[in-house]
Amino acid sequence: NAGVTQTPKFRILKIGQSMTLQCTQDMNHNYMYWYRQDPGMGLKLIYYSVGAGITDKGEVPNGYNVSRSTTEDFPLRLELAAPSQTSVYFCASSYPYGIGYTFGSGTRLTVV
Amino acid sequence: GQQVMQIPQYQHVQEGEDFTTYCNSSTTLSNIQWYKQRPGGHPVFLIQLVKSGEVKKQKRLTFQFGEAKKNSSLHITATQTTDVGTYFCAGLNTGNQFYFGTGTSLTVIP
């Protein structure tokens, strides 16, 4: 049982480049989330999804896009990367109001 | 908007001392969760509290949800070096997502 799998684990982007962070879960969870964590800080919600075909903005959605075509996958797209997007990105999933989120191991992104 | 604050931001304790972190919300929460994140790792779910005044224990960890459901605490008795990490609370109000607190980073000095 893999849980929540994120790829890649590390990435360096140049300013203006684009990339997609992949997230897959095998627990049949309806809810999926993307968070970013800046050094020494808490987790800020970027986008979330309550099911396939449904997405909504969190606290810090600017500069990102998401899609949810299947229950398992919830990719995060960065368009025109900026240094302010340097962060660690965590994907998570849960049942609705479920007992705790399951987090992936994170993607460490640096924009230079 | 929703805000969940945690204090202290950092705590250094001698091994064997107790540790407490506090979580305060600007609005009433329907439930609250606690997570632990080891250095370089990802958050791992510890526990969920739902009822007003609820107290739950996990070995040396005691979790409490305030009567007004606006605050919570995590207390660790006799800390060990394995307790090192950042502890986050996450509160759920009427929406679909939890708002994470700012976290308390615990250092245990052997």
Side-chain angles (χ1 to χ4, degrees), chain A residues 4-6 15 28 30 32 36 50 56 58 63 67 76 78 90:
Chain A
V4 178
T5 302
Q6 289 184 239
I15 294 172
N28 203 33
N30 298 95
M32 295 188 75
R36 61 175 287 172
V50 300
D56 209 345
S67 60
L76 177 72
L78 277 73
F90 289 103

Side-chain angles (χ1 to χ4, degrees), chain B residues 8-106:
Chain B
Q9 188 174 2
Y10 303 97
Q11 185 79 59
H12 294 233
V13 299
Q14 287 288 143
E15 188 173 17
E17 291 183 337
D18 292 355
F19 160 78
T20 305
T21 174
Y22 300 91
C23 181
N24 296 291
S25 170
S26 56
T27 60
T28 302
L29 302 170
S30 57
N31 65 36
I32 196 160
Q33 297 181 352
W34 284 92
Y35 292 79
K36 177 183 179 181
Q37 184 177 24
R38 294 184 184 274
H42 59 276
V44 174
F45 173 75
L46 294 176
I47 208 159
Q48 175 168 284
L49 304 171
V50 178
K51 299 176 184 176
S52 170
E54 188 171 14
V55 178
K56 287 188 175 180
K57 292 190 176 184
Q58 288 180 349
K59 296 182 180 178
R60 295 178 294 103
L61 277 62
T62 302
F63 304 84
Q64 187 164 5
F65 202 6
E67 294 290 341
K69 301 185 79 173
K70 283 189 168 185
N71 56 73
S72 181
S73 65
L74 158 59
H75 180 83
I76 302 178
T77 303
T79 55
Q80 300 175 357
T81 54
T82 53
D83 296 325
V84 165
T86 300
Y87 293 84
F88 292 98
C89 63
L92 179 70
N93 55 8
T94 55
N96 287 323
Q97 69 268 28
F98 283 86
Y99 287 88
F100 278 79
T102 46
T104 296
S105 175
L106 174 63

Side-chain angles (χ1 to χ4, degrees), chain A residues 87-109:
Chain A
S87 190
V88 180
Y89 291 84
F90 289 103
C91 179
S93 71
S94 75
Y95 291 114
Y97 309 113
I99 306 298
Y101 291 8
T102 300
F103 280 85
S105 56
T107 295
R108 193 173 297 271
L109 176 68

